[in-house]
Amino acid sequence: MRTATLGPLGEVSRLTLGGGGIGQIWGENTKDEALATLAAAIDGGITVLDAAPMYRNCEAFIGEVFGGRLPAGVKITTKHQLGSPPAPEVGARLEASLAESLAAMKLKRVDLFFLHSNIHLDGFSYAHGDAHKDAFSTAWSLYADEVAPAMERLKTQGRIGAWGITGIGVPTAALAALDHSPRPDAVQAIANLMDSPGALRRYAEPARPREIAAAAKARGIGVMGIRAVQAGALTAGVDRPLSPNNPDNTDFARAAGFRALCVQWGEDPAVVAHRYALGMPNIDTVVLGVKNRAELTQCLAGEAAGPLEAAQVAAIDALGLAKA
């Protein structure tokens, strides 16, 4: 397993095990298989586990597998979907969520604590779901005046080693957060060959994921690349029912040329997509959305094979999927 430096967190594996599939929100998966996949990830050289309360059973499974005794060098992240509550409640909500996550995982601290909600500038209106933005997005004034200081306090208390933001929301606000002091220690950014957030995108402006990753790296902020297979759109087949108008389903249809290219190469699209993400500039570690050992084994093999050849990257980019 290759390694990279994730900002101030230091050396980490190039692959991170994400909690969505393990927590049983991405496709069907049994508890026994989820537990076995967690153990297999560590055996395969993965040193970062990316958890969150929204990943259903993920945190409880981590607690069950490791019993509060993480293997040497393994780092844990968790998150809180804060939204935009009254300002006086921000610190308490972050602390309460962290406490619940620590209890579920049987830990005394986490290495990285993310603001899971998007950030929007004050007065911003979303193109989709604006009436509910206080539930999924944090207003800039709350972020700057309450969230960042609260995160710094948690660092000082030793309950977290570092903190970060989710960089998949409104790009203008994400870029502003990377420039604001105190800066986050890490950011999660879209890292796929389509540059697509898929169903996560609620705003009208361009997504700009590569710009966000580059801006973070230039400031010494660690970058975790997510959605390498764009929620299944870059695999041989989506593993869950989607409505015809779901952006992830639309991306799957748009990626037909990519799958055809993989057939020509005799390669699995999911493996190729992960190798593409691993070769993208400014991405320190790629978060896997796998749900079982078979999918994990594929990704481990892809990482071992290394980034794609330049000619393969050029052929994929020539499809124009990132420009649509």
Side-chain angles (χ1 to χ4, degrees):
M1 176 70 66
R2 295 167 178 83
T3 61
T5 300
L6 184 64
L9 276 80
E11 187 177 25
V12 299
S13 54
R14 289 284 279 134
L15 293 179
T16 287
L17 184 65
I22 297 303
Q24 301 175 310
I25 66 170
W26 291 111
E28 295 185 10
N29 191 23
T30 66
K31 176 183 177 180
D32 287 346
E33 184 60 30
L35 299 179
T37 303
L38 272 167
I42 304 303
D43 291 341
I46 288 176
T47 64
V48 185
L49 303 178
D50 185 47
M54 290 182 70
Y55 301 158
R56 199 177 297 170
N57 299 313
C58 173
E59 293 182 331
F61 288 169
I62 289 174
E64 185 167 342
V65 170
F66 303 108
R69 300 179 183 86
L70 297 175
V74 172
K75 294 179 172 63
I76 295 284
T77 85
T78 192
K79 310 177 182 72
H80 177 54
Q81 178 76 6
L82 177 68
S84 293
E89 298 180 12
V90 170
R93 291 195 185 198
L94 287 168
E95 291 182 16
S97 177
L98 176 62
E100 291 177 4
S101 293
L102 291 173
M105 295 187 286
K106 302 179 181 179
L107 300 173
K108 294 182 179 180
R109 71 185 292 276
V110 293
D111 298 279
L112 185 53
F113 188 32
F114 280 100
L115 174 66
H116 207 174
S117 46
N118 299 339
I119 303 170
H120 66 266
L121 298 181
D122 293 345
F124 180 83
S125 294
Y126 282 91
H128 305 287
D130 189 66
H132 308 289
K133 66 184 176 186
D134 285 352
F136 64 81
S137 187
T138 300
W140 175 260
S141 56
L142 281 179
Y143 170 77
D145 298 340
E146 305 294 339
V147 174
M151 290 293 200
E152 289 294 315
R153 287 196 299 272
L154 290 171
K155 280 176 64 173
T156 301
Q157 295 166 5
R159 299 176 68 190
I160 65 175
W163 64 277
I165 63 169
T166 299
I168 61 172
V170 186
T172 303
L175 289 165
L178 299 180
D179 267 336
H180 178 73
S181 181
R183 288 176 177 161
D185 298 298
V187 62
Q188 291 202 335
I190 297 297
N192 62 56
L193 61 90
M194 303 179 84
D195 289 348
S196 175
L200 297 178
R201 181 178 177 182
R202 297 170 179 266
Y203 50 86
E205 66 182 78
R208 300 157 68 188
R210 301 193 195 208
E211 183 179 344
I212 290 170
K217 286 295 287 183
R219 292 156 178 77
I221 298 169
V223 182
M224 301 179 74
I226 67 171
R227 292 220 161 192
V229 295
Q230 208 319 73
L234 297 172
T235 67
V238 180
D239 61 1
R240 63 200 185 284
L242 295 174
S243 69
N245 295 326
N246 187 297
D248 297 337
N249 197 42
T250 302
D251 277 353
F252 181 81
R254 287 203 302 118
F258 167 69
R259 289 190 293 278
L261 198 60
C262 292
V263 170
Q264 293 178 26
W265 294 338
E267 300 278 0
D268 185 289
V271 175
V272 174
H274 278 101
R275 291 179 66 195
Y276 184 102
L278 284 164
M280 293 177 71
N282 305 309
I283 303 298
D284 299 319
T285 184
V286 173
V287 181
L288 305 178
V290 301
K291 59 184 178 293
N292 54 46
R293 284 171 290 179
E295 294 175 353
L296 173 65
T297 299
Q298 278 189 318
C299 292
L300 291 174
E303 190 282 328
L308 298 172
E309 296 177 1
Q312 291 177 299
V313 173
I316 291 171
D317 289 345
L319 297 172
L321 295 174
K323 300 175 182 178

